[in-house]
Amino acid sequence: MKLTERTLRIIKNADKEAEKTNKVVHPVHLLLGILLERTSVCTELNNNFPNLWDILNERAKDIKLTNDKGVSYEPFTRNIAISTKQVMENASNLMKRYKQIYLNEGHIVEAIFSSEDYSTKSIIDGLDGSRILKIVASPRDMIVSLRSYSLPDIRTNKITFRKAEQNDAISLKKFIKKEFGYGWLDSIDNGFLKDRIPIFIALDDKTILGFACFDVVRNKKGLFGPMGTTHSKRVQGIGYTLLHMCLNEMKEIGYEYAVIGEAGPLEFYEKACNAVVIPKPI
C-alpha cells in the first residue's frame, strides 16, 4: 500500500499522540494527527473547527482504560488497535474504489466516519461529520497561478505526447470508457468540437496511455481537466507531463490562472504545479 507524504506525516503524528494515552494507536489519534498536519485541507479543517482538537483530546484520554494491546501494522511504529486496522483497511478499499494508487488523508477520514465499530463511532459522536468530510474527503477545486509559470524540463522516454486530432476521437473515447466509464465523454465531445482542440494524449506506439484537457467541462474557460492515465502506467510521469502540456498552452493563450475542478489526488497537484486548494465557504 502506497501512502502520500502527508499521510505518512499524519501517521507519525498519530504515533506521538498515542504515546500520551495507552501507547496503542486508535482512530482518534489519526484524527489528532490530521489536525497536527498544518497543510492544505488539514489547515482548513483546523480553521473551520477550532475546538475540535480539545474535543478529540478529551476523548483520547478515555482510551487509557482499554485493554486492547494492538497489532503491528506498518508504517506505524506503535501497535495499532483492531479498530484502527479496520479503518486503514477500509481506507485502502476506498482508494482502490476511486481507482487511486496513493492512500491519502481523505480516505482515512471517510473510513473513520463510515465505520460501524462501536468504539470508533463513539469518538466521532456529535461531530459535524458531513462538513468535515466535505473539507477533507471530498474532491476539491484547486487553482494554479500561471503568471510566472514556465514549462518544466520533461523527459518523455519512449512515450509520445501530442495534441489530439480529430481522427483520435473514437480511440480516445474508447480508452476513456474502458478506464473511467462514461462520465467524461460529453466533455471530450466538447473538446473535439473546437477549432483548436484542447486535448493532449500520451501514446505507446498507437496505444493511448493517458489524456488531459482544458476548457471542455461545460465549455468553461480556464478550467483544467479531466485527466486520466491507464492504471497500469501510473507513477511513471505520464499525468505530470500531460498536466504541464495543458498548463503551458493555457499560459500561451493568455490565462493568468488555471482552475483544477474537483481534484482527487490533491497532493499530486500541490507538488506538480504548486496548486492551492480553494477554501470552501464556511
Side-chain angles (χ1 to χ4, degrees):
M1 181 169 58
K2 297 179 180 179
L3 294 85
T4 66
E5 290 182 11
R6 180 154 52 233
T7 303
L8 288 170
R9 292 196 298 269
I10 288 168
I11 286 174
K12 186 176 180 179
N13 292 338
D15 277 324
K16 291 180 179 177
E17 288 305 305
E19 171 69 21
K20 301 175 184 178
T21 53
N22 71 338
K23 317 300 183 186
V24 176
V25 180
H26 287 255
V28 68
H29 297 125
L30 285 170
L31 292 174
L32 289 168
I34 288 170
L35 291 173
L36 285 170
E37 172 60 30
R38 298 303 182 102
T39 64
S40 191
V41 292
C42 301
T43 298
E44 189 174 344
L45 183 64
N46 272 284
N47 292 341
N48 278 267
F49 293 90
N51 298 324
L52 186 56
W53 173 266
D54 292 333
I55 293 170
L56 293 175
N57 223 12
E58 283 300 312
R59 294 180 183 183
K61 293 177 181 177
D62 296 335
I63 294 174
K64 290 182 179 179
L65 301 177
T66 66
N67 294 317
D68 189 351
K69 301 300 181 182
V71 294
S72 176
Y73 194 94
E74 292 185 355
F76 292 86
T77 57
R78 294 194 166 279
N79 280 3
I80 68 172
I82 298 300
S83 57
T84 307
K85 185 173 183 285
Q86 292 172 346
V87 164
M88 295 301 294
E89 290 174 348
N90 290 340
S92 178
N93 290 334
L94 287 168
M95 174 193 70
K96 294 172 184 175
R97 186 192 308 169
Y98 299 145
K99 295 187 176 181
Q100 297 174 345
I101 54 175
Y102 281 95
L103 191 141
N104 62 43
E105 65 281 352
H107 302 134
I108 292 175
V109 171
E110 186 173 350
I112 290 174
F113 277 85
S114 61
S115 175
E116 293 300 322
D117 174 70
Y118 174 79
S119 63
T120 304
K121 291 174 75 172
S122 67
I123 289 167
I124 61 175
D125 181 51
L127 301 181
D128 191 345
S130 61
R131 193 167 156 211
I132 292 173
L133 287 168
K134 284 180 181 178
I135 292 173
V136 184
S138 300
R140 299 294 304 273
D141 291 345
M142 306 181 80
I143 191 165
V144 183
S145 175
L146 299 177
R147 290 180 181 179
S148 58
Y149 172 83
S150 60
L151 185 67
D153 182 29
I154 295 173
R155 299 179 181 179
T156 58
N157 296 322
K158 297 180 180 180
I159 298 172
T160 299
F161 293 88
R162 64 168 173 83
K163 288 289 292 290
E165 301 170 353
Q166 285 294 344
N167 58 9
D168 294 313
I170 293 175
S171 57
L172 178 57
K173 291 168 70 174
K174 183 178 180 180
F175 166 80
I176 290 171
K177 281 190 285 186
K178 177 184 176 183
E179 295 281 345
F180 308 103
Y182 291 78
W184 291 339
L185 295 184
D186 287 344
S187 296
I188 296 302
D189 284 336
N190 289 339
F192 280 106
L193 289 174
K194 299 179 185 295
D195 293 332
R196 186 175 177 177
I197 299 172
I199 303 173
F200 288 87
I201 56 177
L203 305 101
D204 181 2
D205 193 13
K206 296 182 180 180
T207 302
I208 295 178
L209 302 178
F211 77 101
C213 42
F214 64 94
D215 288 1
V216 301
V217 177
R218 303 184 303 279
N219 282 316
K220 293 293 185 180
K221 299 287 187 181
L223 187 62
F224 170 82
M227 178 177 79
T229 303
T230 184
H231 195 275
S232 63
K233 297 293 183 180
R234 294 185 186 177
V235 201
Q236 295 187 21
I238 295 173
Y240 177 87
T241 300
L242 290 167
L243 165 66
H244 280 288
M245 294 183 83
C246 285
L247 294 179
N248 187 58
E249 181 150 313
M250 295 174 81
K251 167 83 171 184
E252 290 177 352
I253 289 172
Y255 294 141
E256 291 203 359
Y257 295 94
V259 174
I260 303 170
E262 296 187 343
L266 303 182
E267 204 163 339
F268 165 76
Y269 290 108
E270 289 168 353
K271 292 181 178 180
C273 59
N274 297 317
V276 177
V277 173
I278 299 174
K280 282 187 175 292
I282 299 175

